Amino acid sequence: MSENSSEKSAGLLAKMNEKIQVTNIGGVFFIMMLLLLVAVMTINALPENIGGALFALVILGGVFFYVGNNTPILKSYLGGGSALAVVAGSALTAMGVVPHAAVVNIKTFISNDNFLEFYIVALICSAILKMDRDLLLKSAVRFLPVAFGAMIITFFVVSLSGMALGFSFKHAALYVAFPMMAGGIGAGIVPLSASYASALHQSAGDILNQLFPAVVIANLLAIIGSSLLVKFTTHSKMNGHGALLKTDEQVGGKQSAAPTMNNKQLLNGMMVALSFYIMGNILFHFIPSINAFAFMILLVILAKAFNLVPKFYEESAAMFGGMITSATTPALLAGIGLALVDMNKLLQTVTWQLVLCSLISVVTIGIAGGLLGKLFGLYPVESAIAGGMINNSMGGTGNVAVLSASDRMGLIAFAQMGNRIGGAIILVLGGLLITIL
């Protein structure tokens, strides 16, 4: 009897593991790991290293994504697991549910050890190298005018709307519109606040606190907006289902099937991605005025354009990027929420006028990106997201969240391109206008 009972129990556990999957981990084993995480955090003994940070992020990210992607309202209208991971992670930190030492460890892993940058490097190389060469070049040429045009239109709409809501044109332009389009935090509002501080003879920290809320609110709205746009245009001809460029054959952006995953190609793919990353940083060393990611994107596009990377290594890079994306996206977004989004600071400085301006910005830049994209021969849904809403984000972190929510991760290279180049232009204009207005 005991043997039969054991077999039945084992069979039941196996069925539960197969039926319920959380980040590709069987449900029963995931629950055991979750209980282990609760125990280690309760006694404040989470290892302060990469192992401890990864364990916590995979489990928490898995919970957020499972809940977000299986709760009807969250899944359909509020950005699903991507949005929940950022918001819930930030809320747990603000309420002190996650121990401070664990938050510091996670922040070190995401920012100081730069797992975020490693993730984006893998994703950019994968997205570019697996694309059709001709379609990539045609898309790139048409994409940048769309992104810049959408930013210009949004700047004036948000600035004028801000005036109607009680802000001065200067405040609406410099403290609301520009921060949302500056390319994120580290490469965006941090240097922008330093530029303002130098011109106004004020503390850069105080100015940064004024710029931060607009970026975070716009990013959250962009996550939700991109998710809703995809949901409501699923059967529309405007939706390219991940393809940016329209073609006569209607196959724009389709990639060849990847080979079966294997260790040899995963290693080669990682080294290809890191090689382009290193080359981008070498150029950045000599020309620090241009972002290293901008150099990297340019190098990968040139390599693809001139067929410099053999097919084996292209497939390897695509395989490695796909593995990193599928395995770590929930963990990364949980880390962004836990360690990089300060909910307390956000709630202290947010106003209804700022929220409304942020909403106007996301809607405007989405519509402008879609309409301009259609004019330039791009799919409106994809251009609205990659050429529009992406430029109302927290840079690399926000790009991942928006593209994850809309299931458009293949557009990461275009998103980074618009962020980095557009953000650099915003920094220059901000430094100029702060002395004039």
Side-chain angles (χ1 to χ4, degrees):
M1 288 290 290
S2 60
E3 288 184 5
N4 289 336
S5 299
S6 298
E7 288 178 3
K8 288 181 179 179
S9 298
L12 179 62
L13 290 177
K15 287 181 180 178
M16 289 179 64
N17 267 324
E18 188 176 331
K19 187 174 182 180
I20 302 174
Q21 294 276 316
V22 185
T23 60
N24 297 317
I25 300 173
V28 174
F29 290 105
F30 185 88
I31 292 173
M32 293 169 62
M33 294 174 189
L34 176 59
L35 293 174
L36 182 60
L37 177 63
V38 171
V40 76
M41 283 190 169
T42 300
I43 62 174
N44 204 19
L46 184 72
E48 296 182 8
N49 53 33
I50 290 176
L54 260 180
F55 183 78
L57 290 178
V58 170
I59 298 301
L60 292 174
V63 171
F64 297 147
F65 263 63
Y66 187 82
V67 172
N69 291 337
N70 289 279
T71 303
I73 294 178
L74 291 176
K75 177 183 178 181
S76 300
Y77 303 106
L78 297 176
S82 300
L84 184 64
V86 176
V87 175
S90 180
L92 289 180
T93 298
M95 293 185 293
V97 175
V98 179
H100 178 69
V103 173
V104 171
N105 186 30
I106 289 169
K107 186 172 185 177
T108 299
F109 174 62
I110 294 290
S111 297
N112 298 356
D113 294 339
N114 243 332
F115 176 71
L116 172 64
E117 204 159 286
F118 177 75
Y119 177 99
I120 294 174
V121 165
L123 203 53
I124 287 174
C125 275
S126 171
I128 295 176
L129 292 179
K130 71 182 180 181
M131 282 187 69
D132 178 84
R133 173 182 172 275
D134 293 334
L135 293 176
L136 171 64
L137 296 176
K138 291 176 182 177
S139 298
V141 170
R142 302 181 192 198
F143 173 78
L144 289 176
V146 171
F148 297 155
M151 291 174 73
I152 293 170
I153 292 169
T154 304
F155 168 76
F156 286 107
V157 171
V158 172
S159 299
L160 294 174
S161 298
M163 291 179 66
L165 293 172
F167 294 134
S168 66
F169 180 84
K170 176 181 179 179
H171 184 87
L174 299 179
Y175 291 86
V176 181
F178 272 2
M180 290 189 286
M181 297 187 291
I185 296 177
I189 61 171
V190 170
L192 188 64
S193 66
S195 178
Y196 288 2
S198 176
L200 300 175
H201 305 292
Q202 295 180 10
S203 165
D206 291 341
I207 293 176
L208 184 63
N209 287 336
Q210 297 179 60
L211 303 180
F212 181 77
V215 180
V216 177
I217 294 169
N219 201 160
L220 292 174
L221 292 174
I223 294 170
I224 296 170
S226 66
S227 176
L228 289 176
L229 178 62
V230 169
K231 174 181 172 58
F232 292 123
T233 60
T234 301
H235 304 294
S236 170
K237 292 182 179 179
M238 296 187 297
N239 192 329
H241 301 282
L244 182 62
L245 178 67
K246 290 183 178 181
T247 66
D248 293 336
E249 298 82 9
Q250 296 299 311
V251 295
K254 286 187 178 179
Q255 295 101 22
S256 57
T260 304
M261 190 171 292
N262 61 84
N263 294 335
K264 179 180 178 180
Q265 283 194 275
L266 284 175
L267 176 62
N268 276 279
M270 181 182 75
M271 295 309 294
V272 169
L274 291 178
S275 295
F276 279 110
Y277 174 64
I278 296 299
M279 287 188 284
N281 276 273
I282 289 174
L283 292 175
F284 173 70
H285 175 76
F286 292 105
I287 313 175
S289 58
I290 299 177
N291 187 275
F293 271 126
F295 278 127
M296 178 187 163
I297 292 168
L298 178 61
L299 288 171
V300 182
I301 290 176
L302 288 174
K304 183 70 178 181
F306 290 100
N307 289 319
L308 300 180
V309 182
K311 186 174 180 60
F312 173 83
Y313 293 99
E314 285 188 348
E315 291 178 344
S316 299
M319 183 185 296
F320 177 67
M323 185 273 290
I324 290 292
T325 304
S326 62
T328 63
T329 296
L332 178 67
L333 292 178
I336 290 168
L338 286 161
L340 301 183
V341 177
D342 191 332
M343 185 66 75
N344 287 325
K345 186 186 295 183
L346 183 64
L347 294 176
Q348 288 170 5
T349 55
V350 69
T351 64
W352 70 267
Q353 293 97 330
L354 179 59
V355 173
L356 187 54
C357 275
S358 300
L359 178 61
I360 290 170
S361 180
V362 172
V363 171
T364 302
I365 205 165
I367 292 174
L371 292 176
L372 289 173
K374 184 176 182 180
L375 184 66
F376 278 82
L378 306 178
Y379 279 104
V381 170
E382 277 66 24
S383 62
I385 294 171
M389 296 180 193
I390 277 294
N391 290 317
N392 271 180
S393 78
M394 294 164 59
T397 58
N399 292 347
V400 172
V402 173
L403 295 179
S404 172
S406 56
D407 193 24
R408 295 295 185 274
M409 292 297 259
L411 300 177
I412 185 68
F414 295 105
Q416 288 289 109
M417 195 187 304
N419 264 179
R420 298 310 171 192
I421 301 175
I425 293 172
I426 291 294
L427 293 180
V428 173
L429 291 176
L432 177 65
L433 292 180
I434 193 67
T435 61
I436 297 174
L437 295 179

